[in-house]
Amino acid sequence: MTKWKKNLIFAAVVLAAAAVLWLATRPGGSGKTAMLRYGDPQVEQRIDLRKNADYDIDTGLYTIHLHVENGGIAFVNSPCPDHTCEGFGVLKNQGDWAACMPAKASLTIE
């Protein structure tokens, strides 16, 4: 095998290893997490958006209901009087934000 072929194989192996390492070390695997903040003192909870699920979280004032589906999260079936949090819709993109003020809870996509 020529030196040129050995260098090419070596470069391919290094690139493949770098790709695997990059995929394994990205935040949240896919970069899809939501940070839920609620309560006093404030509690922080990370929610994985790669897994479809429903969450019922007691904030001390209200029990908020969150629905995760297809990489997005939303407030649903809000027990608070104004239901404004439901109006934010599904949050999917980094930086998207929603809050339920009566429950003193907020969601941010990281």
Side-chain angles (χ1 to χ4, degrees):
M1 189 179 308
T2 67
K3 185 175 181 180
W4 183 82
K5 285 184 182 178
K6 286 180 184 178
N7 287 342
L8 184 61
I9 291 171
F10 178 75
V13 169
V14 168
L15 286 173
V20 168
L21 184 60
W22 178 75
L23 287 171
T25 59
R26 289 188 305 166
S30 69
K32 297 298 269 179
T33 59
M35 175 63 78
L36 172 65
R37 293 176 177 90
Y38 63 92
D40 187 23
Q42 198 163 61
V43 175
E44 292 185 343
Q45 179 178 344
R46 278 189 164 59
I47 298 173
D48 186 351
L49 301 180
R50 296 173 296 169
K51 301 174 187 170
N52 293 348
D54 290 304
Y55 296 89
D56 297 325
I57 311 282
D58 182 359
T59 69
L61 298 167
Y62 292 95
T63 297
I64 58 172
H65 308 287
L66 303 172
H67 179 71
V68 176
E69 187 174 7
N70 299 325
I73 189 167
F75 285 97
V76 295
N77 303 321
S78 179
C80 63
D82 60 13
H83 299 271
T84 302
C85 55
E86 294 173 10
F88 285 95
V90 178
L91 310 177
K92 284 190 169 194
N93 301 309
Q94 185 175 8
D96 284 355
W97 177 87
C100 180
M101 297 308 289
K104 295 186 179 177
S106 67
L107 277 172
T108 306
I109 305 298
E110 297 185 325

